[in-house]
Amino acid sequence: MRNKRIKAAAALLAAMAMGGSLIGCSDGGGGGNSGDGGEVTLKILHNWNGSGAGDVEADLTPIAKAIQAKTGVKVKMDYTKGSEVEKVNQIFATQDLPDIYTGPAWGGELDGIVKAAREDQLVDLSGKLDAYPNLSRAIAKENVPPALYEKAIGAFGDQSYMLFQNQPLTDKDAMDWLYGFYVRKDIADQVGVDPQSVRTKDDLYAFLKKIKDADLKENGMPVFPLGGFSNGWAVGIGNTMFYGTEYMDQGGGTLEHVFFTKPYEDYTLYYRKLLAEGLLDPEAFTQTDPIAQEKIKQGRIAVLAAHLPAIIDASKDYVKAHPGSDYVPIGPLERAGAEPDRPVDLGIQGNNVTVITKACKNVDAALKLLEFLASEEGFKLVRYGIEGTHYDMVDGKPVAKAEFFDKFAADTTGKAKKNEGFATGFEDMTGQDRTNTLGGDIWADQERIAKMESARKILRPNGISVISAYNAADVMAKSPQWEELKPSMDKIGDVWKEAVFAKSDEAALDIIGALREQIKKTGYPEAIQYVNENLKGKEVVQLQMPN
């Protein structure tokens, strides 16, 4: 699914000299030289809604300048403000292309990149990657989740279009973001419910109802029992109480997409009930990120559905002003089909696929930039900053300078870190994730670490298990019917929201039924048969939690 000042002019000049001049163009590119020392300016689209540098000039920060000095590449970062899926489809449809694109390695975003590769809109890197060992290593078959490799990274024979970012280098580098439902501790205390006593879907409903009945207010405004972030993220994670994964085993190894099953209907009607009874913020599915953040800062959301780092960041202003109002985990909640002592099944996967588009002004410059970012040196620069300025190496481990650690810890806006160049998008292009191998997150304060560890003990009492089985969705995407079927399947999320807002359960089921018929007419029966034939005898994912 997250800094630097050069200490001496001589060091800067030496670094620039080592970076070398990037003169001319490659693969038919248009030059791209800035005219001063042969440097190149490349535009990168960072396709994550809610990311960005705010009013900080991302290309002028100390870290950005250090990257430029090392590579000869100046980066102009562009950030997505709306739907990531719409954005990736839009840029290729309109040809308003960046030099480099980086975005989610899953879902409709990945589908858009695979489509662009098949339409010859991306640069084939296969003849060049031998010269870039860090990039090559990250896309080696053994370093990519099997389903992602088959669907995208290795799906084009001898051609190679996609780079892969942030897959754990080792098991200890795997990141579990601790998705779940979290409640403000003061509210749980006020209504007299122990959050760890909430285990079932009925328990959760009763808990939200109790919060609603308490008629809580903040500055005269109502407190919503349940809410989320922008565009409904991640309110719907209660689905794991109803079904284990997107494709359900109907018996004997025969798979069916969950949209065609009763558990999906039950899941939809459960959320319709929450909305109809005022237990769920009615704006949760349409609000922008600033509006969602403002509600949290105002203390108007009792239970938040998301991963814990996002909740900690969004709520820290309110918690600072109201000690004891920290969000704490609910549950662990039941998981459909999972034994109580089963480790939590997580599909740990790097968060970004990065590509160079055919519009790139200088492909070699782009590869040099990406290779540096994917190196250990680049990783440390982007994550830790400038050695000697932001951190020191002590006994082989990076240790944050107290000056910057204290400054960042005191700043609840995150701007202080962005001013140095942290969290401006470069971290999503740093190759294999080495965070824990290299010494951990040196900027995480002890209180934050303690909150994560406390929540981990509650939500992961039996640990985690990294999924290695086949994902039926990836096989479905290879079916001959997929091109015709995909537009109908893509409507499932929007239709679910429409059903949740329906005036009755019957109307909600009618809405789902209408799309089911449309999906069947666009090739679903043949496609699911293709899936079942190709997965016969193979281990298929049947339980998965968001990580």
Side-chain angles (χ1 to χ4, degrees), residues 36-287:
D36 56 349
E39 289 182 349
V40 178
T41 298
L42 297 179
K43 179 182 175 182
I44 297 179
L45 172 61
H46 187 265
N47 192 28
W48 282 91
N49 181 29
S51 66
D55 58 0
V56 173
E57 293 288 340
D59 59 316
L60 299 179
T61 65
I63 284 180
K65 289 179 180 178
I67 292 170
Q68 182 179 347
K70 275 291 185 181
T71 65
V73 179
K74 182 176 183 179
V75 171
K76 300 292 288 186
M77 199 78 76
D78 184 26
Y79 305 96
T80 296
K81 296 180 176 62
S83 163
E84 293 94 342
V85 176
E86 289 179 9
K87 186 67 173 181
V88 71
N89 291 327
Q90 173 199 346
I91 62 171
F92 290 107
T94 63
Q95 291 297 292
D96 181 17
L97 296 170
D99 297 286
I100 299 170
Y101 164 96
T102 190
W106 48 72
E109 299 90 342
L110 180 62
D111 292 340
I113 292 299
V114 170
K115 182 173 182 286
R118 298 197 186 284
E119 293 175 349
D120 196 31
Q121 299 204 63
L122 307 178
V123 175
D124 175 13
L125 306 173
S126 56
K128 294 178 174 290
L129 286 177
D130 285 348
Y132 301 97
N134 292 305
L135 299 177
S136 297
R137 190 179 306 114
I139 60 170
K141 187 173 184 178
E142 64 271 17
N143 293 327
V144 180
L148 178 65
Y149 191 87
E150 290 185 12
K151 179 179 181 178
I153 304 295
F156 302 94
D158 294 335
Q159 296 172 310
S160 184
Y161 296 100
M162 300 173 208
L163 304 173
F164 188 39
Q165 315 289 349
N166 302 123
Q167 180 71 5
L169 177 67
T170 67
D171 288 347
K172 75 175 184 178
D173 293 303
M175 178 59 180
D176 175 8
W177 293 86
L178 296 171
Y179 272 89
F181 291 95
Y182 292 79
V183 63
R184 269 182 35 199
K185 186 177 185 304
D186 58 325
I187 291 179
D189 291 343
Q190 187 172 341
V191 300
V193 174
D194 175 4
Q196 272 63 75
S197 71
V198 179
R199 294 300 182 100
T200 70
K201 56 182 78 75
D202 290 338
D203 291 343
L204 180 60
Y205 167 78
F207 186 30
L208 296 174
K209 186 83 164 55
K210 201 159 191 175
I211 294 171
K212 172 71 174 175
D213 292 343
D215 194 27
L216 304 177
K217 298 283 195 303
E218 282 284 349
N219 295 322
M221 295 182 290
V223 172
F224 294 107
L226 173 63
F229 287 80
S230 61
N231 298 310
W233 182 76
V235 169
I237 60 175
N239 60 357
T240 58
M241 296 186 291
F242 293 86
Y243 52 87
T245 190
E246 192 178 16
Y247 286 79
M248 293 182 63
D249 189 337
Q250 300 300 289
T254 300
L255 300 173
E256 183 81 273
H257 192 283
V258 71
F259 185 67
F260 289 89
T261 69
K262 186 168 188 307
Y264 191 88
E265 296 175 0
D266 295 340
Y267 158 61
T268 304
L269 297 183
Y270 182 86
Y271 272 82
R272 199 199 78 78
K273 183 178 181 181
L274 296 183
L275 193 65
E277 296 186 10
L279 308 183
L280 172 61
D281 178 3
E283 296 179 343
F285 300 109
T286 56
Q287 65 192 358

Side-chain angles (χ1 to χ4, degrees), residues 283-305:
E283 296 179 343
F285 300 109
T286 56
Q287 65 192 358
T288 62
D289 193 62
I291 290 174
Q293 296 274 351
E294 187 61 24
K295 287 177 181 175
I296 297 167
K297 288 177 181 178
Q298 292 170 347
R300 296 185 58 211
I301 306 295
V303 175
L304 261 174

Side-chain angles (χ1 to χ4, degrees), residues 256-257 260 476 485 489 519-520 522-528:
E256 183 81 273
H257 192 283
F260 289 89
M476 174 68 85
L485 177 59
M489 297 288 283
I519 290 173
K520 288 177 182 177
T522 52
Y524 173 79
E526 296 81 7
I528 196 65

